[in-house]
Amino acid sequence: MSENKVNIEESLIRENLLAHSDKISAAAIVAGRQPNDVQLMAVSKFHSIEKVRVALEEGHRLFGENRVQEAAQKYLVLKNEFQDLRLHLIGPLQTNKVRQAIILFDVIETIDRPRLAKAIFNEREKSGICPDLYIQVNTGEEPQKAGVLPENLDDLVNLCRDDLKLPLKGLMCIPPANDEPALHFALLATMARRHHLQFLSMGMSSDFESAIKLGATHVRIGTNIFGARES
Ligand SMILES: *Cc1c(COP(=O)(O)O)cnc(C)c1O
């Protein structure tokens, strides 16, 4: 990559971060909420460590990745340099990656089955470490999509919080591509209220303003910050 291209990319990432912070604050205020109640998560999957560094140097600290291996390659180094960097796992987690994941991530947003909750419990018994956890809900009940079905949510909440005493803090969803996302955001917010869960990870590039109106505490934005994915 030419030096010139890198410079253009750097300034674009800066502009995108600023523009989104402004839009998020505005949407929060319109919704009668505090701007600080909503956090911008910069989703850096498939983007280089250099791009993440630009965001860090701009003062941004909250990032999302959807694969454990890729996240480890970038963020083990970065977390040493930036102690207050916070990293969320937003992709499916296999039980054989749990040990690595609980060390690397500050929040795992994709708890979706009892077996995974038990694997995290077992690793916590050994290491004493456990990130905050959110349950991913398959609000659209799509067969191919990760997440617990709404009808099974109560049991999974009870297992995580009451039986295993895991630090369950929120819910996350990815609405179906062709549905009105607001319906799914409203459903997720209702579920979170019912279970007294504080955090709601919902809303992406095209629908984060609607998600904020309905209570999102974390909006996940990738392409609109870092540009088109590199691979
Ligand atoms: C990739 C991803 C995002 C961000 O998507 P973009 O299209 O890059 O903005 C948000 N949430 C999840 C779960 C993702 O995997």
Side-chain angles (χ1 to χ4, degrees), residues 103-206:
I103 295 168
L104 184 63
F105 292 97
D106 300 285
V107 177
I108 295 175
E109 297 198 0
T110 49
I111 306 303
D112 63 355
R113 58 199 190 279
R115 211 167 100 80
L116 180 57
K118 286 173 192 159
I120 291 175
F121 173 84
N122 288 336
E123 285 302 328
R124 185 183 66 172
E125 291 296 287
K126 290 182 208 156
S127 66
I129 299 172
C130 192
D132 284 349
L133 306 177
Y134 303 174
I135 289 175
Q136 180 179 357
V137 185
N138 184 356
T139 54
E141 306 188 28
E142 295 171 283
Q144 79 289 1
K145 196 168 265 175
V148 67
L149 290 172
E151 68 203 43
N152 297 329
L153 175 64
D154 292 3
D155 284 348
L156 189 56
V157 169
N158 292 340
L159 173 72
C160 290
R161 199 162 51 186
D162 303 334
D163 300 344
L164 303 177
K165 312 278 187 238
L166 293 170
L168 182 65
K169 299 288 170 67
L171 299 178
M172 176 269 220
C173 77
I174 309 171
N178 300 319
D179 266 13
E180 168 54 50
L183 300 174
H184 297 270
F185 299 152
L187 177 62
L188 198 72
T190 304
M191 291 169 170
R193 263 196 304 278
R194 189 169 79 231
H195 289 291
H196 307 288
L197 292 166
Q198 183 183 359
F199 297 117
L200 274 174
S201 172
M202 56 188 199
M204 301 171 35
S205 300
S206 57

Side-chain angles (χ1 to χ4, degrees), residues 43 45 66 90 172 174 204-205 220-223 229:
V43 177
K45 64 174 184 237
N66 70 342
I90 58 173
M172 176 269 220
I174 309 171
M204 301 171 35
S205 300
R220 309 180 305 261
I221 300 181
T223 311
R229 288 193 258 284

Side-chain angles (χ1 to χ4, degrees), residues 17-80:
L17 279 170
L18 285 173
H20 280 80
S21 297
D22 287 350
K23 285 185 196 167
I24 288 167
S25 298
I29 288 165
V30 166
R33 306 177 59 200
Q34 298 295 325
N36 291 343
D37 290 349
V38 188
Q39 294 191 52
L40 168 59
M41 184 188 306
V43 177
S44 57
K45 64 174 184 237
F46 300 128
H47 294 288
S48 65
I49 191 167
E50 288 78 18
K51 285 187 171 185
V52 176
R53 234 180 242 289
V54 173
L56 282 161
E57 278 154 16
E58 195 57 24
H60 194 79
R61 289 295 180 270
L62 177 63
F63 297 88
E65 279 280 339
N66 70 342
R67 289 200 184 85
V68 176
Q69 216 57 46
E70 184 185 344
Q73 279 165 12
K74 287 182 246 176
Y75 284 91
L76 283 175
V77 180
L78 292 173
K79 284 192 115 186
N80 264 331

Side-chain angles (χ1 to χ4, degrees), residues 82-99:
F82 298 87
Q83 308 278 331
D84 54 348
L85 189 167
R86 306 261 306 157
L87 184 62
H88 288 213
L89 178 63
I90 58 173
L93 178 57
Q94 295 167 295
T95 48
N96 64 0
K97 301 254 172 66
V98 162
R99 181 172 308 172

